[in-house]
mmCIF file of all heavy atoms in Angstrom:
data_model
loop_
_atom_site.group_PDB
_atom_site.id
_atom_site.type_symbol
_atom_site.label_atom_id
_atom_site.label_comp_id
_atom_site.label_asym_id
_atom_site.label_seq_id
_atom_site.Cartn_x
_atom_site.Cartn_y
_atom_site.Cartn_z
ATOM 1 N N PHE A 1 -203.921 -114.210 -77.928
ATOM 2 C CA PHE A 1 -202.755 -115.028 -78.251
ATOM 3 C C PHE A 1 -201.461 -114.425 -77.721
ATOM 4 O O PHE A 1 -200.584 -115.144 -77.239
ATOM 5 C CB PHE A 1 -202.649 -115.233 -79.768
ATOM 6 C CG PHE A 1 -203.719 -116.120 -80.339
ATOM 7 C CD1 PHE A 1 -204.736 -115.592 -81.116
ATOM 8 C CD2 PHE A 1 -203.724 -117.485 -80.098
ATOM 9 C CE1 PHE A 1 -205.726 -116.398 -81.652
ATOM 10 C CE2 PHE A 1 -204.710 -118.301 -80.631
ATOM 11 C CZ PHE A 1 -205.715 -117.762 -81.403
ATOM 12 N N GLN A 2 -201.332 -113.100 -77.797
ATOM 13 C CA GLN A 2 -200.070 -112.464 -77.436
ATOM 14 C C GLN A 2 -199.772 -112.554 -75.946
ATOM 15 O O GLN A 2 -198.606 -112.498 -75.547
ATOM 16 C CB GLN A 2 -200.083 -110.991 -77.873
ATOM 17 C CG GLN A 2 -200.120 -110.791 -79.374
ATOM 18 C CD GLN A 2 -198.887 -111.332 -80.080
ATOM 19 O OE1 GLN A 2 -197.838 -111.502 -79.474
ATOM 20 N NE2 GLN A 2 -199.021 -111.618 -81.366
ATOM 21 N N MET A 3 -200.785 -112.684 -75.098
ATOM 22 C CA MET A 3 -200.521 -112.709 -73.663
ATOM 23 C C MET A 3 -199.897 -114.022 -73.199
ATOM 24 O O MET A 3 -199.434 -114.131 -72.072
ATOM 25 C CB MET A 3 -201.820 -112.443 -72.881
ATOM 26 C CG MET A 3 -202.811 -113.583 -72.867
ATOM 27 S SD MET A 3 -204.223 -113.197 -71.790
ATOM 28 C CE MET A 3 -205.206 -114.691 -71.954
ATOM 29 N N MET A 4 -199.854 -115.027 -74.068
ATOM 30 C CA MET A 4 -199.321 -116.327 -73.689
ATOM 31 C C MET A 4 -197.876 -116.481 -74.145
ATOM 32 O O MET A 4 -197.470 -115.917 -75.152
ATOM 33 C CB MET A 4 -200.179 -117.443 -74.304
ATOM 34 C CG MET A 4 -201.632 -117.375 -73.912
ATOM 35 S SD MET A 4 -202.624 -118.520 -74.875
ATOM 36 C CE MET A 4 -204.267 -117.878 -74.529
ATOM 37 N N SER A 5 -197.133 -117.269 -73.405
ATOM 38 C CA SER A 5 -195.760 -117.568 -73.794
ATOM 39 C C SER A 5 -195.779 -118.452 -75.032
ATOM 40 O O SER A 5 -196.775 -119.129 -75.310
ATOM 41 C CB SER A 5 -195.033 -118.278 -72.655
ATOM 42 O OG SER A 5 -195.624 -119.545 -72.409
ATOM 43 N N PRO A 6 -194.696 -118.475 -75.830
ATOM 44 C CA PRO A 6 -194.670 -119.276 -77.062
ATOM 45 C C PRO A 6 -195.027 -120.737 -76.852
ATOM 46 O O PRO A 6 -195.727 -121.334 -77.674
ATOM 47 C CB PRO A 6 -193.228 -119.109 -77.546
ATOM 48 C CG PRO A 6 -192.807 -117.782 -77.016
ATOM 49 C CD PRO A 6 -193.479 -117.659 -75.679
ATOM 50 N N ASN A 7 -194.568 -121.337 -75.756
ATOM 51 C CA ASN A 7 -194.868 -122.753 -75.511
ATOM 52 C C ASN A 7 -196.353 -122.974 -75.261
ATOM 53 O O ASN A 7 -196.947 -123.933 -75.754
ATOM 54 C CB ASN A 7 -194.050 -123.270 -74.326
ATOM 55 C CG ASN A 7 -192.569 -123.347 -74.628
ATOM 56 O OD1 ASN A 7 -192.181 -123.519 -75.779
ATOM 57 N ND2 ASN A 7 -191.739 -123.203 -73.607
ATOM 58 N N VAL A 8 -196.964 -122.086 -74.491
ATOM 59 C CA VAL A 8 -198.395 -122.202 -74.201
ATOM 60 C C VAL A 8 -199.220 -121.889 -75.448
ATOM 61 O O VAL A 8 -200.322 -122.417 -75.634
ATOM 62 C CB VAL A 8 -198.785 -121.264 -73.043
ATOM 63 C CG1 VAL A 8 -200.291 -121.313 -72.772
ATOM 64 C CG2 VAL A 8 -198.017 -121.639 -71.787
ATOM 65 N N ARG A 9 -198.680 -121.056 -76.310
ATOM 66 C CA ARG A 9 -199.411 -120.628 -77.500
ATOM 67 C C ARG A 9 -199.705 -121.795 -78.448
ATOM 68 O O ARG A 9 -200.709 -121.793 -79.152
ATOM 69 C CB ARG A 9 -198.626 -119.539 -78.230
ATOM 70 C CG ARG A 9 -199.485 -118.586 -79.038
ATOM 71 C CD ARG A 9 -198.653 -117.447 -79.563
ATOM 72 N NE ARG A 9 -198.174 -116.603 -78.484
ATOM 73 C CZ ARG A 9 -197.177 -115.732 -78.606
ATOM 74 N NH1 ARG A 9 -196.555 -115.609 -79.765
ATOM 75 N NH2 ARG A 9 -196.803 -115.000 -77.582
ATOM 76 N N TYR A 10 -198.834 -122.793 -78.457
ATOM 77 C CA TYR A 10 -199.107 -123.988 -79.267
ATOM 78 C C TYR A 10 -200.425 -124.622 -78.841
ATOM 79 O O TYR A 10 -201.285 -124.936 -79.674
ATOM 80 C CB TYR A 10 -197.969 -125.004 -79.116
ATOM 81 C CG TYR A 10 -196.741 -124.704 -79.932
ATOM 82 C CD1 TYR A 10 -195.636 -124.106 -79.349
ATOM 83 C CD2 TYR A 10 -196.691 -125.019 -81.292
ATOM 84 C CE1 TYR A 10 -194.491 -123.829 -80.102
ATOM 85 C CE2 TYR A 10 -195.559 -124.743 -82.049
ATOM 86 C CZ TYR A 10 -194.466 -124.149 -81.449
ATOM 87 O OH TYR A 10 -193.344 -123.875 -82.199
ATOM 88 N N LEU A 11 -200.578 -124.819 -77.525
ATOM 89 C CA LEU A 11 -201.809 -125.411 -76.999
ATOM 90 C C LEU A 11 -202.997 -124.497 -77.251
ATOM 91 O O LEU A 11 -204.090 -124.964 -77.595
ATOM 92 C CB LEU A 11 -201.660 -125.669 -75.495
ATOM 93 C CG LEU A 11 -202.888 -126.238 -74.768
ATOM 94 C CD1 LEU A 11 -203.276 -127.596 -75.354
ATOM 95 C CD2 LEU A 11 -202.613 -126.351 -73.272
ATOM 96 N N ALA A 12 -202.776 -123.186 -77.118
ATOM 97 C CA ALA A 12 -203.863 -122.225 -77.333
ATOM 98 C C ALA A 12 -204.407 -122.304 -78.749
ATOM 99 O O ALA A 12 -205.623 -122.268 -78.970
ATOM 100 C CB ALA A 12 -203.376 -120.810 -77.032
ATOM 101 N N VAL A 13 -203.521 -122.407 -79.723
ATOM 102 C CA VAL A 13 -203.951 -122.464 -81.121
ATOM 103 C C VAL A 13 -204.699 -123.767 -81.400
ATOM 104 O O VAL A 13 -205.748 -123.765 -82.057
ATOM 105 C CB VAL A 13 -202.742 -122.318 -82.069
ATOM 106 C CG1 VAL A 13 -203.158 -122.593 -83.510
ATOM 107 C CG2 VAL A 13 -202.154 -120.926 -81.947
ATOM 108 N N ILE A 14 -204.182 -124.886 -80.894
ATOM 109 C CA ILE A 14 -204.847 -126.177 -81.102
ATOM 110 C C ILE A 14 -206.252 -126.155 -80.505
ATOM 111 O O ILE A 14 -207.236 -126.555 -81.145
ATOM 112 C CB ILE A 14 -204.018 -127.320 -80.484
ATOM 113 C CG1 ILE A 14 -202.699 -127.489 -81.242
ATOM 114 C CG2 ILE A 14 -204.801 -128.623 -80.504
ATOM 115 C CD1 ILE A 14 -201.737 -128.453 -80.586
ATOM 116 N N LEU A 15 -206.359 -125.661 -79.274
ATOM 117 C CA LEU A 15 -207.664 -125.609 -78.613
ATOM 118 C C LEU A 15 -208.590 -124.599 -79.277
ATOM 119 O O LEU A 15 -209.804 -124.833 -79.376
ATOM 120 C CB LEU A 15 -207.484 -125.264 -77.130
ATOM 121 C CG LEU A 15 -206.888 -126.359 -76.245
ATOM 122 C CD1 LEU A 15 -206.679 -125.834 -74.828
ATOM 123 C CD2 LEU A 15 -207.803 -127.589 -76.220
ATOM 124 N N SER A 16 -208.044 -123.470 -79.731
ATOM 125 C CA SER A 16 -208.897 -122.455 -80.353
ATOM 126 C C SER A 16 -209.454 -122.933 -81.683
ATOM 127 O O SER A 16 -210.609 -122.633 -82.031
ATOM 128 C CB SER A 16 -208.126 -121.148 -80.537
ATOM 129 O OG SER A 16 -207.038 -121.327 -81.416
ATOM 130 N N VAL A 17 -208.657 -123.685 -82.444
ATOM 131 C CA VAL A 17 -209.168 -124.264 -83.685
ATOM 132 C C VAL A 17 -210.297 -125.245 -83.384
ATOM 133 O O VAL A 17 -211.348 -125.236 -84.028
ATOM 134 C CB VAL A 17 -208.039 -124.968 -84.471
ATOM 135 C CG1 VAL A 17 -208.621 -125.750 -85.647
ATOM 136 C CG2 VAL A 17 -207.032 -123.949 -84.975
ATOM 137 N N SER A 18 -210.088 -126.090 -82.374
ATOM 138 C CA SER A 18 -211.128 -127.051 -81.975
ATOM 139 C C SER A 18 -212.381 -126.326 -81.504
ATOM 140 O O SER A 18 -213.499 -126.694 -81.874
ATOM 141 C CB SER A 18 -210.594 -127.954 -80.858
ATOM 142 O OG SER A 18 -209.437 -128.645 -81.263
ATOM 143 N N ALA A 19 -212.194 -125.271 -80.702
ATOM 144 C CA ALA A 19 -213.343 -124.505 -80.211
ATOM 145 C C ALA A 19 -214.056 -123.787 -81.346
ATOM 146 O O ALA A 19 -215.286 -123.630 -81.329
ATOM 147 C CB ALA A 19 -212.881 -123.499 -79.155
ATOM 148 N N GLY A 20 -213.292 -123.343 -82.353
ATOM 149 C CA GLY A 20 -213.916 -122.707 -83.503
ATOM 150 C C GLY A 20 -214.800 -123.661 -84.271
ATOM 151 O O GLY A 20 -215.890 -123.294 -84.732
ATOM 152 N N VAL A 21 -214.360 -124.893 -84.404
ATOM 153 C CA VAL A 21 -215.184 -125.917 -85.058
ATOM 154 C C VAL A 21 -216.448 -126.170 -84.250
ATOM 155 O O VAL A 21 -217.554 -126.300 -84.793
ATOM 156 C CB VAL A 21 -214.376 -127.224 -85.220
ATOM 157 C CG1 VAL A 21 -215.265 -128.358 -85.689
ATOM 158 C CG2 VAL A 21 -213.227 -127.010 -86.196
ATOM 159 N N ILE A 22 -216.299 -126.220 -82.935
ATOM 160 C CA ILE A 22 -217.445 -126.486 -82.064
ATOM 161 C C ILE A 22 -218.406 -125.298 -82.053
ATOM 162 O O ILE A 22 -219.626 -125.464 -81.928
ATOM 163 C CB ILE A 22 -216.956 -126.832 -80.653
ATOM 164 C CG1 ILE A 22 -216.157 -128.144 -80.713
ATOM 165 C CG2 ILE A 22 -218.104 -126.979 -79.672
ATOM 166 C CD1 ILE A 22 -215.365 -128.458 -79.474
ATOM 167 N N ALA A 23 -217.873 -124.089 -82.201
ATOM 168 C CA ALA A 23 -218.741 -122.918 -82.323
ATOM 169 C C ALA A 23 -219.623 -123.042 -83.558
ATOM 170 O O ALA A 23 -220.813 -122.702 -83.542
ATOM 171 C CB ALA A 23 -217.897 -121.647 -82.418
ATOM 172 N N SER A 24 -219.045 -123.552 -84.627
ATOM 173 C CA SER A 24 -219.817 -123.779 -85.844
ATOM 174 C C SER A 24 -220.892 -124.836 -85.608
ATOM 175 O O SER A 24 -222.006 -124.745 -86.136
ATOM 176 C CB SER A 24 -218.877 -124.231 -86.964
ATOM 177 O OG SER A 24 -217.818 -123.317 -87.124
ATOM 178 N N GLN A 25 -220.571 -125.827 -84.795
ATOM 179 C CA GLN A 25 -221.534 -126.876 -84.487
ATOM 180 C C GLN A 25 -222.763 -126.328 -83.772
ATOM 181 O O GLN A 25 -223.891 -126.729 -84.042
ATOM 182 C CB GLN A 25 -220.872 -127.949 -83.608
ATOM 183 C CG GLN A 25 -221.793 -129.097 -83.234
ATOM 184 C CD GLN A 25 -222.263 -129.846 -84.463
ATOM 185 O OE1 GLN A 25 -221.467 -130.279 -85.275
ATOM 186 N NE2 GLN A 25 -223.563 -130.010 -84.598
#
């Protein structure tokens, strides 16, 4: 997370939450 700029980090968090759900799947 820290390597990304604040603006990109919004997208990173949204995608990581989605990927976390899919990992559970």
Side-chain angles (χ1 to χ4, degrees):
F1 290 108
Q2 294 297 338
M3 73 175 180
M4 303 170 195
S5 65
N7 292 332
V8 177
R9 207 172 293 163
Y10 281 100
L11 178 61
V13 171
I14 293 172
L15 288 176
S16 63
V17 171
S18 302
V21 171
I22 296 167
S24 306
Q25 180 62 53

